[in-house]
Amino acid sequence: MSGDDRAGEFGPIYLPALQRIRDLWLELEPLVDETGYDDVVAPTELQISLSDGLADAQSARLDIQWSELGMYSFHYVDSDDVNWRFDRHPNTHSPEIHFHSPPEATTMEAEPSCIDVTDVSLVTRAVHAMWRAAYEKRDLDRLNSASNPP
């Protein structure tokens, strides 16, 4: 997600939240290949690599940001260049909590998110549940289709 997508304050990155998100993905998802941060000294993003992706993708990555203000971005991209995002941040084009649908996850085409919770663990579990449902059914339409997951 670029800063161009944000109209208000996102806030500083909250490292304990990124650590909790990493731990949950490692606990919940056997396809996690590796995890890391974009910068060892001053991380701004958690990166989770998956050994498989949605549909025919051979691999995938989640780039995750979580701020001290509870704003977040879970951005998925895979080897077939499919993108989608669950975001929470102020903007001018959609509700604060929104979803950018695949395959491009374009900034101006966001829709309301099915995720209503705001706690870091619950949001993480919800994003994982949506990803897992789409993965198992090989159906991208399942990504933003649940009623307030997890």
Side-chain angles (χ1 to χ4, degrees):
M1 176 175 57
S2 71
D4 298 340
D5 191 28
R6 299 174 184 158
E9 187 174 5
F10 188 81
I13 295 300
Y14 187 51
L15 185 56
L18 294 182
Q19 292 166 333
R20 179 69 181 136
I21 293 164
R22 179 200 60 213
D23 292 347
L24 279 169
W25 271 85
L26 287 168
E27 173 188 323
L28 296 169
E29 186 50 58
L31 294 175
V32 171
D33 197 24
E34 66 179 322
T35 66
Y37 298 103
D38 62 333
D39 186 308
V40 178
V41 177
T44 61
E45 185 175 86
L46 168 65
Q47 298 163 341
I48 298 175
S49 296
L50 303 169
S51 59
D52 200 6
L54 297 174
D56 295 327
Q58 299 297 309
S59 63
R61 187 183 74 241
L62 284 160
D63 298 327
I64 303 163
Q65 296 179 313
W66 194 284
S67 81
E68 291 177 359
L69 300 177
M71 302 295 147
Y72 62 79
S73 176
F74 286 75
H75 179 198
Y76 170 95
V77 62
D78 65 28
S79 58
D80 287 344
D81 205 26
V82 171
N83 287 264
W84 51 264
R85 290 196 321 263
F86 283 102
D87 287 348
R88 179 183 184 202
H89 61 85
N91 64 72
T92 58
H93 56 79
S94 63
E96 182 176 271
I97 300 175
H98 55 276
F99 177 73
H100 297 269
S101 61
E104 289 92 16
T106 58
T107 296
M108 298 310 288
E109 294 181 18
E111 60 194 60
S113 175
C114 68
I115 300 172
D116 292 332
V117 295
T118 57
D119 172 78
V120 65
S121 295
L122 294 177
V123 171
T124 301
R125 289 179 183 281
V127 171
H128 177 263
M130 298 293 83
W131 178 84
R132 185 39 92 163
Y135 178 79
E136 289 176 359
K137 298 293 184 184
R138 298 178 59 84
D139 182 1
L140 295 174
D141 291 335
R142 298 188 65 90
L143 287 168
N144 193 35
S145 64
S147 177
N148 196 25

